[in-house]
Each structure stands twice: as structure tokens, then as C-alpha cells.
Amino acid sequence: MNRLVLSVSRGISRVTESPLGLYQSAVIRIGFAGTWLLFLLREFPHREQLYGPDGPWSWAMAHRLTSDNGAFTALMWTDGRAWFEVFYVLAVVVSALLLLGWRTRTASVLFMVGVLSLQNRSVFVGDGGDNVLHLMSIYLVFTRCGRVWSLDARREERAAAARARGERVADRTGPLLWAVLGLALAGVTVVGRLNSALLVPVLLWTVWLAQGLWWAVGRRARSQEPRILLDVIANIVHNGALFVIMAEACLIYATAGWYKIQGSRWQDGTAVYYPLHLEYFSPWPALADLLSANGTLVMLVTYGTVVVQVAFPFTLFNRRVKNVLLAAMMTEHAVIAVVLGLPFFSLAMIAADSVFLPTSFLRRLGGWAARARGRLPRRGGRHLPPPRSPEGHESAHVGFGA
């Protein structure tokens, strides 16, 4: 009984004392923000046909659908072309800011607004990768995904160094950004633009109020207890969101694998052959012909895909087997990106898979990147110093960062 109580106590302490999976959440942030940014840039010449007010899926039809299902999209606030163009450019900018980790909490909320607005504007545009991105954009809001590998982390490190020297650190950008966005949120609420389902409006107001409370406690509290309490709540929310992301990824693979088992083409080992010969999914016909010419290879890939997808959720308790299957799935998605011409679907799935990457591997990867950056010359012949490891860094981020 004492062992059980001790184990539960350790588990509670682990969940509340610090955010888990800092490197994994950073990779997820970078992966999904980069995927959405590349998609928006690639489709920039076709943006009006995909999401514009005069596209095949007209503004009137989209308005009728969103009125029925309550889906949130800021593109339904007006049918003006100017608003659409401004919003699309802002979505590109916000994706880049989230990728870099600038004011990550605010950027993640705006990123969610951009993803939901564009995808709900034209629900018939996209594939399975867009569904994953749709869900992950919501989950990212709850994570502390800017604690490492971000501009927020660098700003906090510099602020901590300044405080150690006895200097006073003031954050003016955060409160100004909070006030401007609060006025905008109040404006669209008063005029009745947030008339979708309650999830998005409640989430927007909750995050805005929580950020204001975080700043007020950090600035006005006379003791550390209120700040510690808020930090514990933030850690619990982050860890819960990370668990949901893991469960979501497992659910995707489990359902995909079990549905494949029921298909006759997957049972006889020929399912992979057919998409390789569909014109829509054959950007490289010669490569597709080469891969499908060997019947044994097609059978092995077909059965291997099913086995990996069904087995993966059950391998999470065995680190070595999990890492092998994880590498196999990422390789498979990379092949799908090239052979079937589905780069954004593959990038989205690889980003989701990244939540299971080992921390030791990600830290080594970050070390290699830091050393490579350190070799780049700066103006005046100086070199960029490698960043310090965030391990052991206990201070929470100030203001409106991660």
C-alpha cells in the first residue's frame, strides 16, 4: 500500500512540478506551423479559388453551411475581397511567428483562428492531413510549446541574465499586444461576429483573461505562492494536452489499421498497387511503375503498413520497438510525400508522430543545430554562441510567451 501511495505521489509531483515533453512540444509547434505556412505559400496564387468570396464554393454557400453546423470562421464576417486578402496574409505571418516561437501563447491562438477560419470556409478542400492540422491547432493552444527552440526562450534567457545582474526587466510588447487583441475580441463579440459554437469564443476569452491574470500576478503579487499556483495549473494543462496529442496519434493509426484489415485489397496484399497507378496520385509515373513492378515488394509494403499501424499503440511501453516502428512510419510518410504527391499530408503526420520521439535524440539534434549555427560568421567576424540547455531552468516565462 505504501508503494502505491508513493508511486501516486511521484506521479502527481511529476505532472504538476514541470511541463513534460518540452522538446517534443517544440517539434510539434515547428512541424505544424511550418506545414501550414508552406501550404499557404504554395497556394497563394490559387487562394481566391480555394477560399475567396468568388470561388467555386461561394461565400453564400459557406455562410449557409456554417450557420447550420456552427463552425467558426472569421472569413464569414464579411464577403469583401479586401478582408479576405488581409486575413490570408495575416495567417501567413502568424504561422511564421509561431514557427519561430515569438509570443508563442498569443501566436498559437491566432494560428488556431487562421487554421479554423480557412478550413471551415471551404470544407471540401484538403485531405486527412488537414483534419490532423485542424485538431492539433486547437491542442497547441494548451501547450507550453515555446519553452525551448523559440524566440521566447531566448528572450527569457536574456531577461534572466539581466535580472541576475540586478537590472530591471520590463515587458512592454506583451501588455500592448494583450490590450490590442482584447479590444479586437471585445469588438467582434459586441457586434455579434462570434456567433459560432461556444468552443472557440469561450476558448478565446479564457486565454485572454488567463494571460491578463498571469501578467497581473507576476507584476503585483507580493509573494511567490500565486505565481507558483498558476505555474502548476499551466503545467497540468500542458501535460494533459500532450497526453491528448499522443492519444490522438494512436487513435489515428489504430483506426486506420483496423479499417484496412477489413478491406479485401489489403487482405490479398495488393492495396498499395492501385494508388500508384492513379493519375491524380502519380507525380512521378516512372517511379510508381518501378515500385509496383515487383509483386513481392507490393505485398510486403501492403502487409507491413497494416502491421505497423495496428501494432504501434501497443508498443509504447517498449521503447526500442516503439522507436523502430516510429522510424518506419516516418519513412513511410516521406515516401508517400514523394511517390504519391501528398507532401502536406505527410508533413502533418510526421509532425504528429514527433510527439513520440526520444528526448535524448531531440537534444542531440538541437546540439547539432546549435553547433552548426555557431559556425556561421556574424558581422565583425564574431560567431553565434550556442544556446544553453533548458534543463534545470525553473523560471516561468514572463508575460505573453510560452
Side-chain angles (χ1 to χ4, degrees):
M1 186 65 181
N2 290 334
R3 290 183 179 181
L4 178 60
V5 173
L6 183 59
S7 299
V8 172
S9 177
R10 288 176 178 175
I12 294 175
S13 298
R14 183 173 174 81
V15 171
T16 58
E17 288 180 354
S18 63
L20 305 176
L22 292 180
Y23 291 94
Q24 288 82 354
S25 59
V27 172
I28 293 172
R29 183 199 83 232
I30 295 171
F32 282 106
T35 300
W36 187 240
L37 176 61
L38 291 175
F39 174 79
L40 294 179
L41 292 177
R42 192 196 72 169
E43 299 299 341
F44 192 82
H46 316 291
R47 63 192 183 281
E48 294 184 2
Q49 289 77 18
L50 293 176
Y51 306 111
D54 298 328
W57 183 250
S58 67
W59 188 89
M61 290 190 291
H63 187 270
R64 182 182 303 173
L65 179 61
T66 55
S67 298
D68 291 338
N69 61 19
F72 170 84
T73 170
L75 293 179
M76 290 293 99
W77 294 352
T78 175
D79 59 352
R81 185 179 301 274
W83 168 240
F84 165 73
E85 297 290 350
V86 169
F87 188 89
Y88 196 95
V89 172
L90 288 177
V92 172
V93 172
V94 168
S95 300
L97 293 178
L98 183 61
L99 175 67
L100 297 174
W102 184 84
R103 305 289 169 173
T104 313
R105 182 70 68 192
T106 302
S108 65
V109 174
L110 296 178
F111 177 77
M112 178 196 70
V113 171
V115 171
L116 298 184
S117 296
L118 288 168
Q119 290 189 352
N120 290 336
R121 166 63 179 84
S122 297
V123 294
F124 300 108
V125 176
D127 50 34
D130 294 291
N131 295 332
V132 175
L133 183 62
H134 190 104
L135 294 172
M136 294 300 175
S137 67
I138 300 175
Y139 300 153
L140 273 175
V141 175
F142 299 95
T143 64
R144 310 184 79 172
C145 56
R147 298 294 295 271
V148 298
W149 296 348
S150 67
L151 295 179
D152 285 345
R154 188 176 69 171
R155 185 180 70 252
E156 174 60 21
E157 185 175 306
R158 292 178 175 178
R163 287 192 293 267
R165 295 191 300 267
E167 301 176 6
R168 184 177 180 181
V169 180
D171 180 20
R172 298 182 178 87
T173 304
L176 177 61
L177 188 63
W178 179 81
V180 171
L181 293 177
L183 289 175
L185 184 58
V188 297
T189 302
V190 169
V191 299
R193 298 301 184 184
L194 291 180
N195 54 359
S196 61
L198 289 178
L199 173 62
V200 174
V202 170
L203 181 58
L204 292 176
W205 276 110
T206 300
V207 173
W208 184 80
L209 293 173
Q211 289 293 90
L213 178 63
W214 187 281
W215 178 85
V217 169
R219 186 70 178 272
R220 305 295 182 184
R222 297 181 179 180
S223 63
Q224 291 295 323
E225 284 77 9
R227 182 59 181 268
I228 293 174
L229 176 61
L230 292 181
D231 208 37
V232 167
I233 295 174
N235 292 337
I236 294 174
V237 172
H238 165 89
N239 295 331
L242 206 62
F243 176 79
V244 171
I245 292 174
M246 292 180 178
E248 186 73 36
C250 290
L251 185 62
I252 290 173
Y253 284 117
T255 54
W258 286 107
Y259 272 113
K260 284 181 175 66
I261 289 177
Q262 302 175 44
S264 59
R265 298 305 180 189
W266 291 97
Q267 293 173 8
D268 61 26
T270 62
V272 172
Y273 175 86
Y274 297 99
L276 292 174
H277 293 276
L278 292 175
E279 183 178 357
Y280 183 78
F281 293 110
S282 298
W284 314 99
L287 180 59
D289 292 338
L290 178 64
L291 294 176
S292 61
N294 190 317
T296 303
L297 178 62
V298 171
M299 182 187 66
L300 290 176
V301 173
T302 301
Y303 288 150
T305 299
V306 176
V307 170
V308 168
Q309 290 184 347
V310 172
F312 180 74
F314 300 99
T315 65
L316 297 182
F317 301 101
N318 189 309
R319 182 181 304 175
R320 294 182 179 179
V321 178
K322 181 264 294 183
N323 290 340
V324 171
L325 293 188
L326 185 62
M329 290 191 302
M330 288 185 168
T331 302
E332 179 185 16
H333 287 304
V335 172
I336 290 174
V338 176
V339 177
L340 298 183
L342 296 171
F344 300 110
F345 165 78
S346 298
L347 285 175
M349 291 307 303
I350 291 174
D353 294 341
S354 299
V355 71
F356 299 107
L357 287 174
T359 301
S360 57
F361 169 75
L362 293 176
R363 293 186 65 184
R364 285 197 299 268
L365 187 64
W368 296 335
R371 287 191 292 271
R373 189 186 68 174
R375 297 189 186 99
L376 297 176
R378 295 181 65 186
R379 285 181 294 180
R382 295 176 296 172
H383 291 266
L384 290 169
R388 294 186 302 172
S389 171
E391 296 298 324
H393 182 65
E394 297 295 336
S395 62
H397 285 246
V398 178
F400 299 80

